Amino acid sequence: QVQLVESGGGSVQAGGSLRLSCVASGRTFSRYAMGWFRQAPGKEREFVAAINWGVGTTKYADSVKGRFTISRGNAKNTVYLQMDSLKPDDTAVYYCGATGPRVGVPLSVLEYGDWGQGTQVTVSS
């Protein structure tokens, strides 16, 4: 099992930037995926971006392509989500999730068994 802690959320105006961090601890693996998902009130949790830890391949939701960047930290236990050109529709609680050992980069919420507590991102117009 992997323990995940998100940070970096906040309130910004449209067009601004935030960088979210997710620190993993516990029994981690060299071949697994970590992803960012978001959930607005009354809505389903949706995929944002993910990275395969072993090979570094990434995937992004169409809604954030060109604006968000997922990356691994130097310590290899941290994943970042750089969010630029933020829009009001990006407002949500952002969660970091992790899978077990696998190939590829899953997009489904159901593929992620470990979750952080989330960090709030609010974008005003």
Side-chain angles (χ1 to χ4, degrees):
Q1 300 294 323
V2 179
Q3 290 76 51
L4 305 170
V5 179
E6 305 98 333
S7 62
S11 181
V12 299
Q13 293 185 339
S17 298
L18 286 172
R19 189 181 71 166
L20 306 183
S21 300
C22 176
V23 179
S25 62
R27 293 185 291 274
T28 59
F29 305 92
S30 62
R31 294 177 58 85
Y32 64 97
M34 295 184 65
W36 288 97
F37 294 74
R38 64 189 183 187
Q39 187 169 20
K43 296 185 177 181
E44 300 288 332
R45 187 171 299 186
E46 66 174 350
F47 170 80
V48 176
I51 183 169
N52 185 284
W53 204 262
V55 299
T57 55
T58 59
K59 288 185 178 180
Y60 296 92
D62 289 339
S63 60
V64 305
K65 286 182 179 178
R67 301 188 298 119
F68 291 9
T69 303
I70 188 170
S71 61
R72 297 172 293 182
N74 294 333
K76 300 299 183 181
N77 69 335
T78 303
V79 64
Y80 299 102
L81 184 68
Q82 178 67 42
M83 305 185 295
D84 298 319
S85 301
L86 284 163
K87 305 175 181 179
D89 287 346
D90 295 320
T91 296
V93 177
Y94 283 70
Y95 296 91
C96 178
T99 71
R102 66 172 60 248
V103 298
V105 185
L107 280 65
S108 173
V109 170
L110 300 179
E111 297 286 346
Y112 294 81
D114 299 299
W115 296 94
Q117 294 183 343
T119 184
Q120 177 71 48
V121 172
T122 302
V123 184
S124 60
S125 60

